Amino acid sequence: AKKNPACVAFCNKEMASYNKKRHIIEQNLRKILFVNEEPQPQQLFMVYQPFMSLPEKQLAGFEALVRWEHPELGVISPGEFIPIAEDTGLIFTLSHWVVNRVCEQLVEWHQQGFDFKRVSVNISALELMNIKFAEDLLSLVVQSGAQPCWFKLEITETALMAIPEQAIEILQKLTMADFEVAIDDFGTGYSSLTYLKSLPASTLKIDQSFIRNLIDSSEDQAVIKAVISMAHSLGKQVTAEGVEQQAQLDYLIAHGCDVAQGYYFSRPISVQEVSRLYFEV
Ligand code: C2E
Ligand code: CA
Ligand code: CA
Ligand code: CA
């Protein structure tokens, strides 16, 4: 079939601007991660989104999420720049920065006497490819004066299934060192039940795609009920992410979900807001 020249031109143009944006993001990420000579305004920073225990709705920890605010490009979402960091190998430096930054924050909160429970940090699939990931992370945490028992590590189901044997080994080491592990975006990958049984993870974090239409979808309800009952039989906790509505929360509470997170309780917030809203009496 002959291609419509107008369409080809349009697609190429779109492609070109897509590549250009990727390139700009990569260049900028490189710059902020590697050029520290001049003290620049902090473009990269962390925000924290609370978790609530159910049914009490008490603070059960936070998830640390990275943010990038570029002076000209504006706010770039991690959904956009994390994949680029992964494609270009910058993810290792970025993760290193994230872990250090969160450690500093937790040391500070600890010194101020704040009970932050555990703080979750997202781990990229690529980091698990490194057999020494557990050792490297442990030394990073210890060197900064933080403690593994302050952390939960969120690892996606897909990342785990990419290298099941190695992942189990790494998770065992992390757990022995007193980190806790949660399987993120649970339900969107394909873990076998055999595998799940032996996985050293304390928590299954149900993906928000199952929560979104929960109220109208009997299929989503069935999945959620099954995940909660299976997790509990295996001695694991269930966290629901992306909870926005009272009705979703009521359903989760009625079916024994342990922890919830989402805009219903709070968006990800700055460090200042965290101490104002959660730690000040
Ligand atoms: P994720 O780990 O699945 O994080 C959940 C995302 O859902 C976050 O988006 C969060 O802000 C958003 N969210 C929370 N509650 C709600 C809600 O009630 N409704 C809706 N619609 N969304 C909600 P965010 O912060 O833009 O992060 C996107 C993804 O980027 C994360 O997905 C995670 O995979 C990745 N990411 C974020 N920070 C980091 C990081 O420091 N390191 C790594 N490796 N990945 C990160
Ligand atoms: Ca996560
Ligand atoms: Ca998730
Ligand atoms: Ca996700």
Side-chain angles (χ1 to χ4, degrees), residues 49 63 66-67 78 82 122 184-185 208 242-244 262-263 268:
Q49 187 178 26
E63 178 174 5
V66 69
R67 291 291 177 266
I82 297 275
N122 290 285
D184 202 0
D185 300 349
Q208 56 186 54
V243 177
E244 296 184 354
Y263 297 168

Side-chain angles (χ1 to χ4, degrees), residues 144-218:
S144 63
Q147 299 173 25
C149 66
W150 296 348
F151 289 88
K152 201 154 180 170
L153 305 169
E154 295 196 0
I155 302 177
T156 63
E157 188 183 17
T158 321
L160 292 174
M161 290 317 289
I163 39 162
E165 287 86 17
Q166 178 166 324
I168 290 198
E169 202 179 312
I170 293 177
L171 264 49
Q172 266 158 356
K173 287 186 191 156
L174 290 169
T175 308
M176 297 236 298
D178 236 349
F179 289 103
E180 233 180 74
V181 176
I183 304 182
D184 202 0
D185 300 349
F186 187 77
T188 62
Y190 299 92
S191 14
S192 75
L193 298 178
T194 319
Y195 178 69
L196 205 57
K197 189 178 68 177
S198 56
L199 202 61
S202 67
T203 307
L204 303 184
K205 195 169 179 189
I206 305 184
D207 190 63
Q208 56 186 54
S209 59
F210 296 100
I211 309 299
R212 198 167 300 132
N213 305 313
L214 170 59
I215 297 312
D216 307 309
S217 160
S218 56

Side-chain angles (χ1 to χ4, degrees), residues 81-275:
F81 68 83
I82 297 275
I84 297 177
E86 290 180 331
D87 289 349
T88 53
L90 289 169
I91 189 67
F92 302 104
T93 314
L94 178 62
S95 300
H96 197 278
W97 182 89
V98 166
V99 171
N100 272 328
R101 191 64 209 86
V102 174
C103 283
E104 277 173 19
Q105 191 58 60
L106 299 190
V107 167
E108 189 183 318
W109 282 343
H110 181 75
Q111 284 166 352
Q112 294 171 329
F114 296 158
D115 185 10
F116 47 80
K117 315 289 175 191
R118 277 188 196 251
V119 171
S120 291
V121 173
N122 290 285
I123 304 300
S124 155
L126 287 181
E127 294 179 86
L128 285 192
M129 301 290 174
N130 168 16
I131 314 186
K132 288 181 61 239
F133 175 73
E135 291 86 340
D136 292 352
L137 181 69
L138 182 61
S139 69
L140 207 57
V141 166
V142 171
Q143 271 168 32
S144 63
Q147 299 173 25
C149 66
W150 296 348
F151 289 88
K152 201 154 180 170
L153 305 169
E154 295 196 0
I155 302 177
T156 63
E157 188 183 17
T158 321
L160 292 174
M161 290 317 289
I163 39 162
E165 287 86 17
Q166 178 166 324
I168 290 198
E169 202 179 312
I170 293 177
L171 264 49
Q172 266 158 356
K173 287 186 191 156
L174 290 169
T175 308
M176 297 236 298
D178 236 349
F179 289 103
E180 233 180 74
V181 176
I183 304 182
D184 202 0
D185 300 349
F186 187 77
T188 62
Y190 299 92
S191 14
S192 75
L193 298 178
T194 319
Y195 178 69
L196 205 57
K197 189 178 68 177
S198 56
L199 202 61
S202 67
T203 307
L204 303 184
K205 195 169 179 189
I206 305 184
D207 190 63
Q208 56 186 54
S209 59
F210 296 100
I211 309 299
R212 198 167 300 132
N213 305 313
L214 170 59
I215 297 312
D216 307 309
S217 160
S218 56
E219 288 86 359
D220 287 342
Q221 293 175 2
V223 171
I224 285 169
K225 282 189 278 190
V227 169
I228 293 173
S229 122
M230 177 187 66
H232 288 171
S233 321
L234 294 172
K236 300 185 194 304
Q237 282 208 331
V238 176
T239 296
E241 68 176 8
V243 177
E244 296 184 354
Q245 301 156 11
Q246 176 81 54
Q248 296 166 332
L249 182 65
D250 291 343
Y251 187 91
L252 293 164
I253 291 176
H255 292 86
C257 183
D258 305 282
V259 173
Q261 177 193 38
Y263 297 168
Y264 176 80
F265 294 110
S266 170
R267 291 186 174 250
I269 53 178
S270 68
V271 177
Q272 290 76 20
E273 288 174 292
V274 168
S275 41

